[in-house]
Amino acid sequence: MYTPPNKTQSPYLPFGDRQDAPFYFTDILSVKQFQRKDLDYIFGVAHEMSEMVRRIGTFDLLKGKILANLFYEPSTRTMSSFTAAMERLGGSVIPINEVRYSSVSKGESLPDTVRTLECYADVIVLRHPEVGSVATAAKFTRKPIINAGDGIGEHPTQALLDLFTILEELGHVDGLTITMLGDLKYGRTVHSLSRLLSLFDVKLNYVSPKILPMPEEVVKEVAEKNIVQKQYNTLDPVLAETDVLYVTRVQKERFEDLDSYEKVRNEFIISPEVMKGAKEKMIVMHPLPRVGEITMEVDDDPRAAYFRQMEYGLYVRMALLAIVLGKA
Ligand code: NCD
């Protein structure tokens, strides 16, 4: 019988780490594991990372440490920002993104793959198409695992960087009205973000095509925190009151039939015309990639925060790597 390892009490832990530090050797699987004080801690470290990058670019905090980047689904930002984060901290990366060229294509199981990588790496970042797969994989390794997206489940590091973006751009989260727009059914980033935002005093609007609403399970969890949530199928009623407009892509790869995808793919498009109805201080966010839901003409609007959002992501991922490896 296989017994999951207790990672923080493993005899294999490296010498010299601050083993009592929060999140040391802790898997990052879901935003549900965070309290507000944890966010203050993570964002404090992320802020220091941004200062260090600005001042010296690359430094040796994680010198000699190795990250395994294991991606079973496509990725540009998440994968390259984890790579950049590790390298800016002086560490190095084993990239496994073309799983068809790895032993996965020979039929190797996920538990065996992570047990292999733990022999070579200090931390594993994993993206996989099945909900819950990252949590299962985490049980099979004594090294910390970071969830980089598990199907339509969660994307906790994206939600952390989204929240950090709101804080850096607007200075606070309490009191804000956040409107999430697009594919709320299959978009894992909004599942994580709404759960994380429920730790604050916010109002949440969900605007989606009729067939792509926020899942009941998420709405129920957020309601338990006494957060006001309203659902709509058009943006008009809520645009003027919105402080953060969080736009998402319709997740084509999750549809069983492409006809339904085609019907809803262009239902919402943010253009300069739409932006005229928004607050002067509103920010537009998007986890990216965009495939037409925000026109390129919006990019010059100072309220378009989606490119800045990616840079904040680098600092948050640097912070997470340093924290789980006990070097923050
Ligand atoms: C998102 C994802 O993979 O869930 N991308 C990302 O990580 N920035 C959003 C998406 O693919 O639409």
Side-chain angles (χ1 to χ4, degrees):
M1 204 17 212
Y2 174 75
T3 330
N6 183 338
K7 298 187 188 191
T8 53
Q9 283 172 18
S10 158
Y12 302 102
L13 285 178
F15 294 119
D17 286 353
R18 278 197 50 208
Q19 302 191 355
D20 58 337
F23 297 102
Y24 176 65
F25 258 68
T26 303
D27 302 312
I28 307 296
L29 300 174
S30 160
V31 291
K32 293 181 204 171
Q33 69 197 92
F34 301 120
Q35 303 298 316
R36 269 179 86 143
K37 68 173 186 344
D38 303 322
L39 301 174
D40 291 343
Y41 170 58
I42 296 167
F43 296 155
V45 179
H47 195 81
E48 278 174 36
M49 293 297 179
S50 74
E51 299 275 302
M52 291 294 278
V53 169
R54 197 165 315 136
R55 264 190 245 136
I56 54 174
T58 296
F59 46 105
D60 278 348
L61 194 65
L62 295 185
K63 189 174 161 63
K65 298 287 183 191
I66 297 177
L67 156 71
N69 241 349
L70 178 59
F71 280 70
Y72 289 76
E73 279 191 342
S75 172
T76 302
R77 271 149 291 273
T78 308
M79 195 174 56
S80 55
S81 63
F82 267 114
T83 300
M86 197 61 184
E87 295 192 352
R88 284 197 178 272
L89 292 167
S92 50
V93 181
I94 304 173
I96 306 180
N97 41 42
E98 290 280 5
V99 287
R100 65 174 178 274
Y101 297 129
S102 73
S103 286
V104 170
S105 69
K106 300 180 189 168
E108 184 165 69
S109 68
L110 185 57
D112 281 7
T113 305
V114 296
R115 279 165 150 175
T116 306
L117 292 172
E118 75 172 6
C119 302
Y120 313 135
D122 301 287
V123 53
I124 299 168
V125 169
L126 173 60
R127 171 172 287 187
H128 194 278
E130 275 163 49
V131 177
S133 55
V134 183
T136 306
K139 294 199 180 108
F140 286 88
T141 170
R142 55 192 155 80
K143 300 289 170 65
I145 284 220
I146 299 178
N147 182 0
D150 60 331
I152 62 166
E154 278 220 36
H155 196 346
T157 69
Q158 178 72 43
L160 288 170
L161 80 87
D162 292 341
L163 192 60
F164 185 62
T165 301
I166 297 173
L167 275 166
E168 293 285 302
E169 294 273 323
L170 298 178
H172 64 105
V173 179
D174 286 319
L176 295 181
T177 296
I178 293 124
T179 299
M180 301 184 190
L181 173 90
D183 184 348
L184 307 183
K185 179 179 180 188
Y186 297 126
R188 55 192 167 202
T189 68
V190 286
H191 301 164
S192 289
L193 183 58
S194 47
R195 285 176 171 126
L196 198 58
L197 284 169
S198 73
L199 296 175
F200 294 82
D201 176 19
V202 290
K203 180 180 175 201
L204 299 180
N205 295 318
Y206 304 137
V207 182
S208 72
K210 280 204 178 63
I211 61 164
L212 301 172
M214 185 64 88
E216 264 311 306
E217 182 197 347
V218 179
V219 175
K220 207 168 142 248
E221 280 176 43
V222 172
E224 278 163 15
K225 304 272 178 59
N226 295 320
I227 301 296
V228 176
Q229 305 168 87
K230 297 244 166 80
Q231 313 222 24
Y232 301 87
N233 301 121
T234 61
L235 181 59
D236 294 351
V238 293
L239 180 61
E241 66 167 18
T242 296
D243 299 298
V244 176
L245 180 62
Y246 191 95
V247 185
T248 65
R249 168 181 74 91
V250 178
Q251 309 273 302
K252 183 179 182 185
E253 68 275 30
R254 314 282 182 211
F255 279 70
E256 273 163 24
D257 75 299
L258 279 184
D259 278 355
S260 333
Y261 167 73
E262 289 298 336
K263 278 192 197 121
V264 291
R265 62 180 290 194
N266 289 326
E267 202 164 315
F268 299 104
I269 295 178
I270 305 302
S271 63
E273 198 48 40
V274 174
M275 292 296 287
K276 282 186 191 154
K279 282 188 188 175
E280 209 180 307
K281 284 256 154 23
M282 186 189 82
I283 56 170
V284 186
M285 296 174 62
H286 193 306
L288 301 176
R290 65 173 156 183
V291 287
E293 55 280 346
I294 302 177
T295 68
M296 279 179 73
E297 291 76 55
V298 178
D299 298 357
D300 293 333
D301 190 314
R303 294 171 290 183
Y306 32 92
F307 295 122
R308 301 192 290 274
Q309 189 180 347
M310 288 189 279
E311 186 178 331
Y312 295 125
L314 171 70
Y315 307 133
V316 169
R317 287 178 173 135
M318 288 174 80
L320 287 172
L321 290 172
I323 286 169
V324 299
L325 293 175
K327 302 290 182 194

